[in-house]
Amino acid sequence: MKKRIIILGMVVLAVVVLWSAAWLVLSGMVRQQIALQAEADGITSPQLTCGMLTVGGFPFRFDADCTQARIVSGDAVIELPGLRASVLVYAPTHLLASALGPMQVTDTFTGSRNQLDWSALAASIRLSDWRIARASISGENLVWADTLLGSSTIAQAPLAELHLFDIPEQHDPDRQTAALAGYLRTNALAYPGLTLTDTTAEVQLELTGLPDDVRNWGAPDMLMALQAANGQLNVVSIHGTDADSTLDASGALALDPAGQIDGQITITSTGVAERIGPLLEEPWRTLVLGAPAADGSFANQLNFRDGAILSGLVPIAAIGPLF
């Protein structure tokens, strides 16, 4: 009996030693992959640099902590005090992430500076066969401010959340395409520039024709492939309301063979035209929202066709091809 206990103890010790060695190797690989992001050009692929990068979480997690994170993507430079990404060893397709605020955003082309702060910001991404099964991000006590000259609050909300869900019945394994449903909600939103207070906004979208492997997202020909697969952005519902106004929109947009946006968005509103008066002068306000009806409501349809945005049949703007 004593001999069996000794053998069992040696086996357990060997497993612990082997797993410890394996964890160290894997954590080193995780650290190396994150560090490689610092070598990206920041144009075709975002560049991530860390003041300090550590990987912990032994024995059942990999926690990657990036302090003084700096992300460069095109003209945008994003700086955060800290980022954390965590993966459980027994659930490697489920990523948890969080960030410390405030986040500083600088546009090197325009020179604009903005800050987004929060009390809590967390994200979760779960994959299934390299498709997004579900992705979520939520923030609490969000405050968005312009910090170019001092600090001026643009908007704030106690809660905002975004969720993406796979639509299994629209997965086409033969064409290797998938579809996602998106849901965005914020409540008690305040936007002083438009005198908005206690505003609730909800957005429901569906995007079809996506590559069913997230590793192919960001490929140079992704939009061309989406168009070839008859991909479409369905604006199921956009709904915003406060005590004095409402806005609703719905429609569908796609890409034509030339890479131009094709489709239409229908907008109905009450009390919105008066709110945006200082920001959108006539005749543009009527061209976007439509003319008022007898009951004071507004309705209009924006059409996207042949590289133009039209209010009904009247061209109001041009938009270039996306590929």
Side-chain angles (χ1 to χ4, degrees):
M1 178 64 70
K2 184 177 180 180
K3 186 177 180 180
R4 290 180 180 178
I5 294 175
I6 293 174
I7 293 173
L8 179 60
M10 292 178 65
V11 170
V12 171
L13 178 61
V15 170
V16 170
V17 170
L18 288 173
W19 173 243
S20 299
W23 187 93
L24 286 172
V25 171
L26 291 173
S27 65
M29 293 172 63
V30 170
R31 192 180 193 285
Q32 182 181 38
Q33 289 300 311
I34 298 173
L36 284 174
Q37 295 301 308
E39 300 178 10
D41 60 12
I43 300 174
T44 58
S45 179
Q47 179 191 72
L48 169 65
T49 56
C50 304
M52 179 180 293
L53 175 61
T54 59
V55 178
F58 179 81
F60 299 120
R61 298 195 320 272
F62 294 104
D63 296 329
D65 286 290
C66 174
T67 60
Q68 300 304 316
R70 188 173 189 267
I71 302 170
V72 178
S73 181
D75 295 323
V77 178
I78 301 172
E79 296 173 296
L80 299 114
L83 282 173
R84 164 172 280 202
S86 300
V87 175
L88 294 170
V89 171
Y90 48 84
T93 60
H94 189 184
L95 173 71
L96 300 174
S98 59
L100 297 176
M103 178 175 71
Q104 309 290 340
V105 182
T106 303
D107 189 313
T108 57
F109 180 75
T110 64
S112 65
R113 293 177 181 271
N114 286 266
Q115 175 179 288
L116 181 62
D117 201 2
W118 54 81
S119 62
L121 184 68
S124 171
I125 301 174
R126 181 167 55 85
L127 302 179
S128 176
D129 295 328
W130 290 107
R131 296 201 322 272
I132 289 181
R134 176 169 180 166
S136 301
I137 182 170
S138 64
E140 298 178 11
N141 300 314
L142 298 157
V143 180
W144 174 27
D146 184 329
T147 56
L148 182 60
L149 298 172
S151 180
S152 175
T153 298
I154 298 173
Q156 55 187 11
L159 176 67
E161 52 186 328
L162 169 65
H163 305 280
L164 297 176
F165 306 92
D166 179 47
I167 307 176
E169 59 271 21
Q170 294 195 37
H171 177 225
D172 189 334
D174 296 327
R175 301 175 69 185
Q176 298 182 328
T177 59
L180 284 175
Y183 176 73
L184 170 66
R185 174 181 170 84
T186 182
N187 57 10
L189 171 69
Y191 197 122
L194 292 178
T195 65
L196 292 177
T197 58
D198 198 22
T199 301
T200 297
E202 293 184 352
V203 179
Q204 298 181 56
L205 306 171
E206 290 183 358
L207 182 58
T208 64
L210 284 166
D212 64 356
D213 190 327
V214 296
R215 293 171 295 182
N216 294 328
W217 289 18
D221 62 347
M222 179 176 170
L223 290 179
M224 296 179 65
L226 190 146
Q227 189 278 328
N230 297 316
Q232 184 170 271
L233 174 64
N234 296 315
V235 182
V236 179
S237 172
I238 297 176
H239 177 69
T241 182
D242 69 357
D244 302 313
S245 57
T246 61
L247 183 142
D248 290 278
S250 62
L253 301 173
L255 293 173
D256 66 17
Q260 296 173 324
I261 299 177
D262 184 86
Q264 56 282 317
I265 299 292
T266 299
I267 303 173
T268 60
S269 64
T270 57
V272 175
E274 297 81 357
R275 283 279 178 77
I276 66 173
L279 301 179
L280 191 64
E281 298 181 354
E282 293 290 7
W284 302 107
R285 187 162 66 248
T286 297
L287 289 171
V288 172
L289 297 177
D295 62 357
S297 64
F298 292 73
N300 194 31
Q301 184 178 80
L302 296 179
N303 297 301
F304 298 75
R305 187 170 60 248
D306 299 327
I309 304 176
L310 305 96
S311 176
L313 299 175
V314 181
I316 59 174
I319 184 169
L322 299 187
F323 60 79

